[in-house]
Amino acid sequence: MSVGPPRAQIALSARARSLEEAHALGASLFYPHVLTPLGPKDDVGLVASAARLGPVTAGVLEYSSGIRIDTGEYGSAVQVNVPLFGSLKTTIGDEHVRATNRIAAVYPHDVPTIIAGWDSPLAMLAVKLDRLTVERRLQQYEQAVDLHGVPTLDVRTGPSADWVAAVRRVIATAQRLPAMDEGLVRFLADRCIDGLVLALTADPSSPSSTDAATDQTIVDRAREAITYSSGPLLSLHDLSQYVGVNARSLQLSFKRVLGQTPMQVQRRERLHRVARELKASAHGVDRVQTIALKHGFTHLGRFSAEYERTFGELPSRTLAR
């Protein structure tokens, strides 16, 4: 028996084999648009691997031939497109931009755009972010950024390169773990939003951490995922997927930084959640079993013993006080 929040289906992986299917797939993921082939209509196709994360939709789109995309204003969203190979000719208001794997195109919410297209097959990282969420996060960082003045973003190095790498890890994680609880959906969305805010506000000469994550960075990412998660306990494999390293690297980093395993840290965090909820339960109306199951403890005898070792009393005693 397990009790926990519903798990959201966040991953999409699809192939469109015609112009009409490619148009429908692109519109379902991002925005209404007009899709115009630049060559034979029958050559148009689209392969998409994407993650839907509430305020963020991120995907790798691979078009099989040259096309043009016309959209109106994005309205409620900010869009960033990064070609992974090939180049993308685009117009953002009055700005003409050629985006490449080094230079991303940044589209404000209230400017009509034209993706004038590409003449050959292209793979593109496309990221759609809720405008109000991005603006609120910028305010939290006490940064004033006019997105109309940022038509491009240099993604070769620094925080911008880190952001691209993080978004690609998020998409890969969604494909491997297509269903997850809402807390972890927020965790992945926040990584995308916070990374973009840092990229928009940081000194372009800031060093990139993409090439080698430190032990402390790995531990910090994992503890953040643990904090966001709810429902069943995360396995070592799943936790390593959220962090973007293999399971052995995750274990070694925890040992070096904290002297504990990731699972020990996670169980202790969950035990403290249980203790807080037991203390807050009015007149013991919630049974220990219900609260323990809610936080991922399915073996109640083992849970009670672990709780007593940690807090010096049985959970039933905490509930009764």
Side-chain angles (χ1 to χ4, degrees):
M1 176 183 178
S2 64
V3 176
R7 294 166 70 82
Q9 299 291 327
I10 65 166
L12 179 142
S13 183
R15 178 185 294 271
R17 301 181 184 276
S18 68
L19 176 66
E20 292 75 18
E21 289 179 358
H23 176 265
L25 178 56
S28 69
L29 281 172
F30 292 98
Y31 314 94
H33 62 279
V34 176
L35 185 63
T36 305
L38 300 182
K41 174 182 175 181
D42 292 343
D43 290 347
V44 176
L46 170 62
V47 177
S49 297
R52 291 189 175 105
L53 305 165
V56 176
T57 297
V60 174
L61 310 179
E62 298 183 48
Y63 286 93
S64 59
S65 64
I67 60 168
R68 169 187 167 118
I69 298 174
D70 292 81
T71 71
E73 298 176 1
Y74 289 130
S76 61
V78 175
Q79 178 78 20
V80 183
N81 291 336
V82 188
L84 302 178
F85 63 80
S87 63
L88 172 67
K89 294 174 288 185
T90 186
T91 301
I92 306 169
D94 296 328
E95 294 274 354
H96 298 286
V97 173
R98 180 178 287 272
T100 67
N101 62 351
R102 297 182 172 191
I103 301 295
V106 181
Y107 304 84
H109 70 284
D110 57 353
V111 176
T113 67
I114 298 172
I115 297 179
W118 45 89
D119 300 323
S120 59
L122 173 136
M124 178 173 69
L125 177 66
V127 189
K128 172 185 174 183
L129 307 101
D130 178 72
R131 173 178 64 88
L132 293 178
T133 304
V134 172
E135 290 176 351
R136 283 195 296 267
R137 203 62 53 86
L138 284 166
Q139 290 172 357
Q140 290 172 7
Y141 281 80
E142 298 183 348
Q143 297 286 345
V145 175
D146 180 7
L147 292 173
H148 298 85
V150 191
T152 63
L153 197 60
D154 187 337
V155 296
R156 289 174 293 182
T157 187
S160 298
D162 290 341
W163 176 71
V164 170
V167 173
R168 296 191 71 176
R169 283 196 299 269
V170 164
I171 295 169
T173 298
Q175 296 301 313
R176 289 190 291 264
L177 304 170
M180 62 185 68
D181 68 63
E182 292 292 343
L184 287 166
V185 173
R186 289 195 302 274
F187 165 67
L188 294 179
D190 282 352
R191 289 192 66 188
C192 295
I193 294 168
D194 288 339
L196 179 62
V197 168
L198 183 59
L200 291 170
T201 58
D203 183 340
S205 63
S206 300
S208 170
S209 62
T210 299
D211 295 333
T214 65
D215 285 336
Q216 187 64 59
T217 299
I218 290 171
V219 169
D220 288 346
R221 287 177 185 167
R223 294 187 75 171
E224 188 177 8
I226 288 168
T227 299
Y228 273 82
S229 68
S230 57
L233 291 166
L234 296 173
S235 69
L236 179 64
H237 173 267
D238 285 357
L239 185 56
S240 67
Q241 296 297 312
Y242 287 114
V243 176
V245 298
N246 62 48
R248 178 164 174 76
S249 294
L250 184 63
Q251 287 180 308
L252 289 174
S253 292
F254 267 76
K255 280 292 186 183
R256 286 191 285 257
V257 174
L258 299 176
Q260 296 177 288
T261 69
M263 297 301 98
Q264 287 172 328
V265 172
Q266 178 179 212
R267 293 183 74 84
R268 188 171 184 84
E269 160 68 20
R270 293 296 185 94
L271 284 169
H272 279 274
R273 291 188 201 178
V274 170
R276 288 194 295 270
E277 191 160 340
L278 289 172
K279 292 173 183 176
S281 184
H283 307 297
V285 294
D286 291 318
R287 293 189 306 156
V288 169
Q289 180 183 19
T290 301
I291 295 173
L293 288 170
K294 174 183 174 182
H295 292 287
F297 294 101
T298 56
H299 192 293
L300 295 178
R302 192 180 305 154
F303 156 74
S304 293
E306 193 173 356
Y307 187 98
E308 186 176 19
R309 285 196 303 272
T310 302
F311 300 109
E313 65 180 15
L314 290 170
S316 56
R317 178 64 179 167
T318 305
L319 183 63
R321 284 197 283 110

